[in-house]
Amino acid sequence: MTETEIRLFAEADRTELRQLFRRAGAGAATASLWGHEESEAEIYLRAYMDLEPESLFVAVVDGAPAGYLAGSLDPSRFPSESERIARAIKKHRLALRPRPAAFLARSVLDLGRAALRGELTASDFSDERWPAHLHINVVPEARGTGASDGLMNAWFRRLRAGGSPGCHLLTLAENTRAVRFFERMGFTKYGATPLVPGIRHEGRRVHQQAMVWSP
Ligand SMILES: CC(C)(COP(=O)(O)OP(=O)(O)OC[C@H]1O[C@@H](n2cnc3c(N)ncnc32)[C@H](O)[C@@H]1OP(=O)(O)O)[C@@H](O)C(=O)NCCC(=O)NCCS
């Protein structure tokens, strides 16, 4: 029988969580964005370790980290996703690296084509009813075991204790497992499903799905 413990991130977890980053996202349409793991981990994990470790929860299964939920209660304390991406592009000179450069070129083409067609494209989410946000990733072997539920329940407790009016998340409409999971945990779909420029999953374009939760 597996034993799962949900606990707050500790500095000593840093290296192991970073190593978990790729495996915990495996299979999702967002598993690799522009093909440069270091900058992706910096945006979607390290920023949370550095800026809001008290909102970072770790699922430990049979003694080893198997997933995490990285959250932020207050957008004024946290740079937006597009700000973090813009910084990473500059810092890691992504435009000069072959795979990220191909991603950036595809993004520009997608944006141009969407503009011509009058199609919506994804952007940052900002709504004072749901200011908090989260990312959750669990390794394939620990999915369907309740580890994800445990992480989410720890986050809900933190949101309630912090007096947050609500939380949003941005997933992909094509990530059906994630959407079903979030719905089961009490989130509802919100708004349109705009195109996410640059990303392809199984050769297809993907669409952003915002989901919201209020205590
Ligand atoms: C999203 C995630 C945290 C959900 O946790 P989980 O432990 O897998 O959640 P569940 O096992 O409850 O699965 C959710 C639903 O998907 C269903 N499901 C199982 N396998 C599936 C599959 N291969 N494809 C689609 N749905 C599937 C489950 O039956 C369940 O539906 P139900 O509640 O109607 O029975 C986890 O799958 C994960 O980390 N995925 C990779 C990273 C990711 O996508 N993160 C979210 C990005 S926003």
Side-chain angles (χ1 to χ4, degrees), residues 36-205:
H36 185 256
E37 188 173 318
E38 197 184 332
S39 55
E40 292 173 12
E42 207 164 283
I43 294 164
Y44 295 105
L45 177 60
R46 214 185 87 193
Y48 297 82
M49 298 189 201
D50 292 346
L51 301 173
E52 204 168 326
E54 65 278 19
S55 294
L56 177 53
F57 297 90
V58 183
V60 181
V61 178
D62 291 337
Y68 60 86
L69 184 153
S72 175
L73 276 189
D74 177 359
S76 67
R77 286 182 54 188
F78 218 85
S80 70
E81 187 168 340
S82 52
E83 282 167 331
R84 283 178 280 141
I85 292 173
R87 274 184 215 166
I89 290 174
K90 209 167 155 194
K91 176 177 167 192
H92 295 279
R93 299 170 176 251
L94 294 180
L96 302 177
R97 297 173 185 267
R99 285 186 67 191
F103 171 90
L104 291 170
R106 198 164 57 238
S107 301
V108 171
L109 285 175
D110 281 350
L111 284 168
R113 198 163 44 187
L116 285 174
R117 291 178 179 172
E119 204 178 348
L120 288 175
T121 50
S123 55
D124 286 336
F125 183 100
S126 171
D127 190 310
E128 62 190 21
R129 289 171 291 178
W130 304 288
H133 79 273
L134 72 96
H135 300 281
I136 181 170
N137 288 302
V138 171
V139 296
E141 314 84 84
R143 293 176 196 162
T145 67
S148 311
D149 300 41
L151 286 167
M152 195 60 89
N153 286 326
W155 177 234
F156 288 154
R157 283 193 292 277
R158 164 126 180 90
L159 287 169
R160 287 196 169 98
S164 174
C167 177
H168 72 273
L169 62 88
L170 299 175
T171 187
L172 296 178
E174 290 78 5
N175 192 348
T176 49
R177 181 168 192 154
V179 171
R180 281 175 68 163
F181 167 72
F182 293 130
E183 283 181 330
R184 185 164 61 72
M185 296 308 299
F187 280 82
T188 51
K189 292 177 185 167
Y190 182 77
T193 51
L195 176 75
V196 183
I199 301 184
R200 295 291 183 277
H201 183 55
E202 293 168 353
R204 301 220 171 113
R205 304 190 313 156

